[in-house]
Amino acid sequence: MNTHLKIISKMIIPALLMASSLASAYDSYQEKVLFTPSEGILHAEAKGRVMIYDGLDNEMVELAMNEQFQRIENMMFVRTQYISEDGDIEIEEDGCD
């Protein structure tokens, strides 16, 4: 049984690290599109494309609303995270149950 645990842990730990890395890359991609969109993104938005931003913290959303005001109609924010003073994270659900 101990051998099975070793094999499983050798598979799970790298998978968790990869998932964490992918989540970080996704957040970085969202931030790049939000604050420094490429010409292709701007062109797609001009044709009506809406980008859905998932899991950003509320401060980043507020900054985007102020700095990228001309693009607001092409943005949708879901599962926005609110970080309390004690470090707890509260995720705002959309309420569409």
Side-chain angles (χ1 to χ4, degrees):
M1 178 90 170
N2 195 13
T3 304
H4 292 295
L5 290 175
K6 286 181 182 179
I7 292 171
I8 290 171
S9 68
K10 286 182 180 180
M11 293 171 28
I12 290 176
I13 292 173
L16 291 173
L17 292 173
M18 186 191 299
S20 174
S21 176
L22 290 174
S24 177
Y26 181 68
D27 289 346
S28 179
Y29 170 76
Q30 289 188 116
E31 187 174 341
K32 180 180 176 183
V33 170
L34 189 56
F35 294 107
T36 56
S38 67
E39 288 298 318
I41 295 289
L42 293 174
H43 182 71
E45 287 179 355
K47 290 185 169 193
R49 176 182 181 197
V50 174
M51 175 71 176
I52 300 172
Y53 299 92
D54 183 20
L56 297 178
D57 68 65
N58 68 306
E59 292 177 358
M60 188 174 296
V61 172
E62 290 293 325
L63 184 62
M65 298 292 251
N66 291 323
E67 289 187 359
Q68 302 296 320
F69 185 78
Q70 72 282 4
R71 298 174 52 224
I72 286 178
E73 66 185 25
N74 300 96
M75 300 176 187
M76 176 183 283
F77 298 97
V78 297
R79 296 188 310 159
T80 301
Q81 297 182 9
Y82 291 85
I83 303 171
S84 66
E85 290 180 14
D86 63 359
D88 288 340
I89 297 175
E90 182 179 323
I91 298 175
E92 180 181 289
E93 296 295 330
D94 62 7
C96 297
D97 295 328

